Structures are given as structure tokens and as C-alpha cells.
Amino acid sequence: MMVAFCGLLLMTNMSASIANPLNDPETIERRVTELLGQMTLAEKIGQMSQHNASEGYAPDYLADGLRAGRVGSVINVVDVDAVNELQRIAVEESRLGIPLMVGRDVIHGFETIMPIPLGQAATWNRELVKEGARVAALEAVTAGINWTFAPMIDISRDARWGRIAESLGESVFLTNELAVAMVAGFQGDDLAKPGSIAACAKHFAGYGAVESGRDYATTNIPEIKLRNVHLRPFKAAVDAGVATLMTSFSDVNGVPATGNEFLLRQVLRDEWNFDGLVVSDWDSIRQLQVHGLTENDKESAFEAATAGVDMEMHGDAYSNHLAELVEEGRISISSIDTAVANILRAKFRLGLFENPFTNPEKLPSIANGRALETAQQAALQSVVMLKNDHGTLPLSAEQLSSVAVIGPLADAPYQQLGTWIFDGDVELSITPMHAIHSLVGRDVDVRYVRAMENSRSRVSEAFDEAVEIAGDSDATILFLGEESILSGEAHSRADINLPGDQAELVRRIRETGKPVIAVILAGRPLTLTNIVDQVDAMLFAWHPGTMGGPAIADLLFGIESPSGKLPATFPRMVGQIPIYYSQKNTGKPPSPDKIAHIDEIDTRAPQTSLGMTAFHLDAGYTPLFAFGHGLSYTTFDYEHIRPSAYEIGPGDTVTISAELTNSGDVAADEVVQLYARDLVATVTRPVRELKGFKRVRLEPGQTVTVAFDLHTNDLAFYGRDMRLRTEPGEFHVWIGGSSETELRTEFRIVDND
Ligand code: NOJ
């Protein structure tokens, strides 16, 4: 058998200089079949098992497992020598020499950290997001990693959920587009090329809809909503060639995703023809029992394998029980073969049989500064200016003699990196406080007071000093928000106000009467209602990553104009959740004249009805900041929206265009957004859906025509029969700088029959 492996290797070396013929699908299928034919059942089950290798350097138990062919993949080893040693044992000392997939959570950067994914989504910049993933891949491969567990593309409409930080927000279209960009960045144009790593679209599916935003909780999602919302980004990722998918931890409509045959077989394999690898989440096969779906690990292995989970991440349900299940005839050998073929296919696609080892010196090097430049650009474009009264921003270093920099997140190099930064190099982090010093420190007296030990602090002893310094300075920049530990996996919150005494700090600083600018660093949308009126300007910077400081400083001092746009709606109150721009109209839609406020109810005059529309008595129906919102230092005017045709037929494309003018004084980027509404359909459709976006740069006074092509397929949705269709009828379309744009036109799809 060793000979067979060597033969493969020889063949590879001979053909290495030719344009990678090994990568053509037929060759890969042939090699998969040949290899499968040589494998014992134990070796097959070995491929289906991923082991945590975070402890020690090729520990004995793992080395033995590799020699015996009991391990198909390892997770959490990042020492290149250790990875090479594990690969060496797998390739040289196991019977068939099958190389390992080496997995790691490279979520938003490896050493150099980009903004959290939600922040990257706020850039609305496909190329930049792709480049961020590319940089992450190029850094990760130097450690021997060939598989990342990203992108996380769970549609998330609940800011309480800590993992909204890892998501690309609430919109199907924005998530689809950026998911595809991330997959392209990680995987490159050929998975087998040095510098590419396999991406993993996760968590399949519906995880973002956990009840009350509590991580791991139940999800109940009608099939039509699953198909129209939650599954769509996964389909986009599959179509874009994502190599792997990960199942969700959660229960979906009564069947946990890891044992969900409907999702994993019917949708993913039968309808979408996905031939990549499906991995469970960490220990999620064993957890089928904890969910109450199975009695024991053996039954959990049965359910997961039957549903179509190819590989078990960190667990031993498969390794302990699959063989027995096959012997009992409950699991067929052909279904095991299918799973193993999916795994081997991924390994062949990655070129691991040809190049199992990592020699960092032979990898494409990241050009000097490329990683940091990408991180800075991404941070710059991710920051959303939520408010800017009276042109408070940008600050002028010429006009200020002093500025107070106050708050627990002004100089917190680790916290600004955000969640999931296992390998992030905190030493590279440049904080806003340092960046402001470097940018204007020679001209402006920068006075820093931390004021609070951390964002949750209830100790206000240092507030007096902060107030004194703020009162004595020309302006105050408050760095508030939440530390990285407050978002991410298992870090959900029920109250999404600024934690601790931060609101009180804002109130005290406000009393100085000096301009107050708040810069919020956070892993989720926060309810900012209690502080928004207390500040003159507000930047929302998410967790901006390694280069967050310089990006924020450049924006504060007008080196560049803010251009980020919200990828998720900001509620006024937590009780409005889920609040998102693409809601349905309802039969009783609210409007400003059809709502009442709880404080205005006159209980002396008996009333039985108040507006009778879909609103909250205390919060109304609008968000604090809408999806797509984001201000600039310039002003953009939109006009003359028009369709290229007022009637189109099925299969046609209509072009929607509008004129955009930079009517202000500075050059700036604008993210132009296209929304559409299907007015009447056989199932109710959202009041607006994002259908296109473009980031454009305009000089002062410049006018451009921005055009979007809309094919009738782009307006398709799943109907009552769960089939995708576009229905004829009238469509409204809007172009503008946020989901609240009123610049509208319309067209019809006419049925030719
Ligand atoms: C659990 C998380 O849900 C998943 O996203 C992650 O990739 C794995 N752990 C591995 O760390």
C-alpha cells in the first residue's frame, strides 16, 4: 500500500510543472475511488474523526492514532513544526499515508486582526473583505493551517446574541455577497495553490435565530423562512465553491442541526449537490443526546451519520460506535463511503497529497505592510458615523489646543481586537489613544484619563478627574462600549445598553458644556438611546482590530471621511428585537400619525384603542438607527431614479439608475444601496429587500450615474410550494444611502403567456 501512495506522489511530482491536471474533477474522483477501495472500515472511520491537538507536541496518543489511521484531521495546533511532525507521521507512518486537514478558527485575521466580521460587513466592500480573508489565509498557512472555520454566515437579527459579532449582519443580500468574498479570499482561485486554505461556511443552519438571543438555544424557523432567509447565504457559498460546511449546535424545528436530515441531505446534497465536506461543531454529535434526541452516544453517531455529517469535530461518538453500527447493518458501508469520499475529495482539492508539509519560506510572502494596510483600510471603512451635530467632526488639529481622551476603551490593545482572536498578536495593536497622540500630539495637548477600570465598572471615583480634564479641554473624545469578552460564542446579553456606569460618565462629561464625541467599540449593535442625545457626535467602531487606533484617529481628524454603513438595525430598546429593515408590512402597518406613546395616554378619558397598528406603546416602530445608515463629512444628493424599462418579461434584466452628487466640500466614499419590493405575491414579501450596493468615491461637486442591473431571478423567492420563483407584477425600487431612502421608481414584470 505504501507503494501505491508513493506511486501517487511520483505521479504528482512529474506533473507538478504542468497546469495542475490533478485538480480536474475527474482525476480527483478517480483518485478518491482508488483510495477508498484500499481502505479498511477502521481507516474510513478514522478519516471521519477530527482530534483536538492543542496539547503538547505530537503527543503519543495522537501519534499512535495517526499511525493507525484513526485520525482524519486535527484542530488547534498552530506550531508549524508540530503540524509538520503530525503530517509526517500521517503521511509516512500510516498504512495509506493520507495527509491531515489542519483546522483552526481563523475568523477575522490570524496574527493581524481585521475588524470583527460584523465590522467588516459595515464596509460594504467586497474587495476589501476578500483581501482581509486573503491576508488571514496567507498568515495562517505559515503555521501549517489548511482549513479555517469561517466565514460564519448565520443571518443575525438579534443583537443580544453574542455571535452577531462574528456574523455579517441581518441582510441576506449583504451576507451572500460578503460570504462569497470571504470564501474567495480564503480559498484563492485554486485550493491547491500555496497560500489557499479551505473555508467553512457555518453554522448550517438557522443558528442566528436562537430564541431570545441566548447562545445555543432552540431555533424555530418555518421552512419558508429558512429557505428565503437563513439558507440563502449557504447556497451562495456552495455556489461559490466553499470546500466545507459546519453544522449548527442548535435545535432546528425540533431536530438539532447536527442530526437534521432535511438540512444535510435533502437541501444540501439533493437540492444543492454539495460534494464538499460537512463537519459537526465541537462535540455536537454527542450533544444530540443532551438535546434529548438520542439515548446515548451510539444513537447520536447513528443520527449524525444518517443525517450526513461526514466528520466529527472533537468527540468520539464516531470513533467509538460507527463500526458497530455498520456491523449491525444500521449504517450502510456505502453511506460511510460517501462521507469518506467527501473528506478525501476536500484533501485532494487542497493538494495535500502532493504538498502535505509546510515550509514557511516557500510560501508566498505577504508584501511588507500588506496585512497592516488591509487591517487599517478595513477598520477605516467599517466605522459608522451615527451622528454629527453642527459639524462637530472632523476635529481640527489647527483649531484645538487640547483634547481630552477619556474612557475604558481608549487604550485597550487587546479589547479592540474583538472576539475569536486565538492567534492575534496584541503587540501589533495600535490603540486610539496612541494613534491620536501620533497624529496630533505635536499640535494638540492630548490628555488621557481612563476613568473606568473596564466597561462594566460601577466605580465612579475617577469621574471627577475626568470631568475636570474634559472641562479644561477644547473637546472630549469618549471611548466607550464593551470589551471583547462581552460578545462572541456563549457571550450573549439580555440588556444591550452600555454596561456599567458608562452612561453616567457621559452625563457628567456632558455637563462641562464642551463638545463631546463618543466613539463606541463593541461586538454588537447597542441600545444607545440613553446617551445619543448627550453627545454631539458618535462613531460606532465595532471591535476594529489591530489598526483600529490609526483608522479612528484619521476619521476623527478628517484625514478621511467616515463611510461605513450599518449591517444591522440599531433598536431603541431591547424589547424591539427582532427589528430589521426587511420586515413584512402586516395588515396594520404603523405610520407616524397612527401610533401613540405611553406617556401621552390620557387615562382620565377612557380609551380602548390607540392607533391600532403594529407598534410598541413605549418604543414606536422605528429603530434608533436604520440598516444601511451611516453619515459622512460630505453630503450626497440622490435624484433622477429611473428604470431602463417600465415593463420587462421573465428572464429579462432591468437597469435601475440614479444620479449621485457629492454636494459637500470633501472627497468621500458613499455606499449606494438598491432596495426592491414585490408589491403583491402569493406569499407576503418584505417591505424592502437589499438587491445591490456599490461603494463609490466622489470628489466635491462631482456627479455620477450609479446603475444596478436587476435580473428577474434576483427577485426570486420561495413560495408556498417551497420552490424558487419570480412572480409577475409590480415592483418598487429605491436607490439611496440607507434603507430609509425615499427615492423610488417602479417597473412591472409582465407574464408573456
Ligand atoms: C464551536 C463554534 O461554534 C465553532 O464556530 C468553532 O469553529 C468551533 N467551536 C471550533 O472552535
Side-chain angles (χ1 to χ4, degrees):
M1 296 305 167
M2 202 58 193
V3 178
F5 171 67
C6 293
L8 279 178
L9 209 91
L10 244 184
M11 187 177 72
T12 309
N13 286 343
M14 284 184 326
S15 49
S17 53
I18 315 168
N20 211 354
L22 293 174
N23 238 354
D24 92 89
E26 268 179 38
T27 310
I28 287 181
E29 278 326 293
R30 185 177 45 74
R31 296 177 78 187
V32 166
T33 312
E34 274 170 19
L35 191 48
L36 254 180
Q38 298 168 33
M39 294 172 78
T40 63
L41 177 60
E43 284 164 339
K44 290 175 184 172
I45 293 169
Q47 286 302 304
M48 296 171 73
S49 307
Q50 181 184 64
H51 286 249
N52 180 20
S54 59
E55 276 159 36
Y57 182 95
D60 285 350
Y61 80 92
L62 189 56
D64 291 346
L66 290 169
R67 281 185 199 102
R70 286 198 301 265
V71 181
S73 169
V74 289
I75 179 173
N76 292 340
V77 51
V78 281
D79 174 327
V80 68
D81 295 330
V83 171
N84 278 335
E85 176 58 6
L86 297 175
Q87 288 286 29
R88 191 196 62 73
I89 299 170
V91 167
E92 293 177 5
E93 298 185 17
S94 75
R95 194 178 76 91
L96 293 172
I98 302 174
L100 292 165
M101 286 179 74
V102 181
R104 182 69 164 170
D105 290 289
V106 183
I107 307 297
H108 53 113
F110 187 66
E111 279 164 13
T112 312
I113 301 298
M114 307 294 146
I116 53 170
L118 191 60
Q120 290 186 53
T123 69
W124 297 56
N125 187 332
R126 301 168 179 88
E127 278 309 308
L128 191 54
V129 167
K130 178 177 166 188
E131 176 66 3
R134 190 76 207 135
V135 165
L138 289 170
E139 288 187 350
V141 287
T142 62
I145 291 159
N146 54 39
W147 185 13
T148 177
F149 302 115
M152 191 188 103
I153 55 177
D154 300 309
I155 296 290
S156 177
R157 296 174 172 176
D158 193 332
R160 294 169 298 185
W161 190 44
R163 300 199 83 166
I164 195 172
E166 297 171 56
S167 83
L168 298 167
E170 74 181 44
S171 155
V172 172
F173 187 81
L174 185 59
T175 301
N176 286 355
E177 296 291 298
L178 300 184
V180 169
M182 280 191 176
V183 170
F186 286 127
Q187 298 195 166
D189 57 7
D190 179 352
L191 264 180
K193 277 194 190 157
S196 295
I197 59 178
C200 182
K202 68 188 189 184
H203 304 84
F204 195 68
Y207 187 31
V210 283
E211 282 182 352
S212 76
R214 198 162 47 90
D215 207 5
Y216 315 127
T218 300
T219 70
N220 285 297
I221 313 171
E223 183 178 340
I224 195 160
K225 188 167 184 189
L226 255 178
R227 290 186 180 274
N228 277 318
V229 177
H230 298 274
L231 294 179
R232 285 251 172 130
F234 289 93
K235 175 72 164 66
V238 166
D239 289 347
V242 71
T244 75
L245 251 70
M246 185 189 297
T247 63
S248 152
F249 279 127
S250 286
D251 176 335
V252 190
N253 301 332
V255 183
T258 301
N260 197 309
E261 219 172 330
F262 164 71
L263 288 172
L264 298 174
R265 279 208 192 282
Q266 182 179 321
V267 174
L268 183 62
R269 303 292 184 182
D270 298 346
E271 296 180 22
W272 298 355
N273 298 316
F274 180 63
D275 68 356
L277 149 59
V278 173
V279 65
S280 76
D281 203 340
W282 185 272
D283 199 29
S284 70
I285 296 184
R286 201 192 51 81
Q287 289 166 19
L288 293 177
Q289 184 210 345
V290 187
H291 276 285
L293 187 79
T294 61
E295 261 181 30
N296 51 41
D297 289 357
K298 179 176 171 186
E299 295 309 311
S300 298
F302 173 77
E303 292 293 339
T306 307
V309 178
D310 302 321
M311 184 184 280
E312 178 172 23
M313 176 186 283
H314 181 67
D316 51 18
Y318 273 7
S319 52
N320 286 343
H321 302 290
L322 277 185
E324 199 183 334
L325 286 162
V326 172
E327 276 151 27
E328 289 169 4
R330 292 181 64 201
I331 291 189
S332 67
I333 192 70
S334 75
S335 63
I336 297 283
D337 284 354
T338 305
V340 178
N342 293 336
I343 296 164
L344 296 178
R345 196 175 294 118
K347 293 185 175 185
F348 280 116
R349 285 175 177 162
L350 274 164
L352 290 179
F353 288 84
E354 290 70 52
N355 295 302
F357 302 115
T358 302
N359 178 350
E361 277 160 27
K362 292 221 168 127
L363 285 166
S365 62
I366 310 190
N368 226 353
R370 174 175 170 186
L372 294 177
E373 272 163 31
T374 306
Q376 184 161 344
Q377 257 315 307
L380 193 82
Q381 295 188 21
S382 74
V383 175
V384 182
M385 186 158 71
L386 294 175
K387 171 178 180 177
N388 191 21
D389 282 357
H390 322 298
T392 303
L393 288 176
L395 298 171
S396 158
E398 286 83 52
Q399 285 166 19
L400 289 180
S401 61
S402 57
V403 65
V405 171
I406 296 174
L409 291 164
D411 191 25
Y414 176 80
Q415 305 304 342
Q416 72 183 44
L417 298 181
T419 184
W420 280 120
I421 45 123
F422 284 156
D423 307 292
D425 184 351
V426 75
E427 299 291 317
L428 292 174
S429 242
I430 304 179
T431 67
M433 200 275 284
H434 282 285
I436 292 169
H437 255 291
S438 327
L439 189 67
V440 299
R442 262 179 298 179
D443 309 319
V444 182
D445 184 9
V446 181
R447 299 142 173 195
Y448 168 58
V449 193
R450 189 179 177 98
M452 297 170 75
E453 181 53 32
N454 58 48
S455 73
R456 289 99 65 211
S457 168
R458 296 272 180 205
V459 178
S460 53
E461 269 165 16
F463 285 13
D464 288 346
E465 185 198 356
V467 170
E468 198 182 319
I469 293 210
D472 215 25
S473 304
D474 294 339
T476 295
I477 313 170
L478 279 168
F479 285 90
L480 307 171
E482 36 170 47
E483 284 85 18
S484 56
I485 188 80
L486 298 192
S487 58
E489 185 177 347
H491 296 100
S492 296
R493 296 179 60 200
D495 170 358
I496 54 168
N497 280 326
L498 284 176
D501 277 349
Q502 293 183 84
E504 174 64 8
L505 177 63
V506 177
R507 199 189 59 73
R508 295 279 314 275
I509 299 290
R510 181 74 189 159
E511 284 173 359
T512 63
K514 297 290 178 65
V516 184
I517 298 123
V519 181
I520 314 286
L521 282 76
R524 58 162 60 78
L526 295 170
T527 39
L528 300 165
T529 312
N530 59 345
I531 65 154
V532 73
D533 295 335
Q534 309 272 321
V535 301
D536 300 288
M538 189 185 277
L539 296 178
F540 204 88
W542 318 100
H543 286 134
T546 303
M547 297 301 280
I552 291 169
D554 282 0
L555 294 171
L556 288 169
F557 287 90
I559 309 293
E560 192 41 81
S561 172
S563 60
K565 300 276 186 174
L566 294 180
T569 302
F570 276 43
R572 296 174 189 279
M573 291 185 196
V574 73
Q576 290 181 293
I577 291 173
I579 180 169
Y580 50 97
Y581 81 95
S582 59
Q583 290 191 341
K584 304 282 187 70
N585 203 34
T586 79
K588 290 172 175 280
S591 60
D593 56 325
K594 287 195 188 139
I595 63 167
H597 192 273
I598 196 162
D599 295 340
E600 287 153 12
I601 299 170
D602 184 355
T603 42
R604 286 167 308 179
Q607 279 175 296
T608 51
S609 65
L610 295 164
M612 304 301 282
T613 60
F615 70 98
H616 287 114
L617 280 173
D618 40 14
Y621 64 97
T622 56
L624 186 60
F625 297 110
F627 175 83
H629 169 76
L631 303 173
S632 166
Y633 291 152
T634 193
T635 43
F636 289 107
D637 300 334
Y638 287 87
E639 52 187 353
H640 305 314
I641 186 171
R642 60 182 196 90
S644 57
Y646 286 96
E647 280 190 2
I648 59 169
D652 289 348
T653 296
V654 59
T655 303
I656 314 293
S657 60
E659 275 172 24
L660 170 65
T661 301
N662 178 346
S663 52
D665 299 331
V666 294
D669 280 12
E670 166 72 329
V671 177
V672 183
Q673 301 159 41
L674 172 78
Y675 294 88
R677 177 175 181 185
D678 185 345
L679 261 74
V680 180
T682 50
V683 291
T684 55
R685 304 292 301 132
V687 289
R688 279 182 193 199
E689 281 184 303
L690 183 71
K691 291 292 173 188
F693 61 87
K694 279 183 186 164
R695 181 177 264 271
V696 291
R697 186 164 190 85
L698 268 72
E699 297 298 319
Q702 190 183 354
T703 298
V704 292
T705 300
V706 187
F708 296 92
D709 287 341
L710 205 50
H711 188 275
T712 52
N713 286 349
D714 299 329
L715 299 161
F717 59 91
Y718 288 86
R720 297 183 204 185
D721 57 1
M722 302 304 147
R723 294 234 170 96
L724 199 59
R725 88 261 316 291
T726 304
E727 293 181 355
E730 189 177 356
F731 290 82
H732 284 176
V733 273
W734 296 259
I735 289 182
S738 93
S739 62
E740 289 182 323
T741 172
E742 293 300 333
L743 186 68
R744 192 189 92 191
T745 189
E746 48 280 318
F747 66 91
R748 294 187 74 82
I749 299 180
V750 288
D751 205 342
N752 293 332
D753 297 338

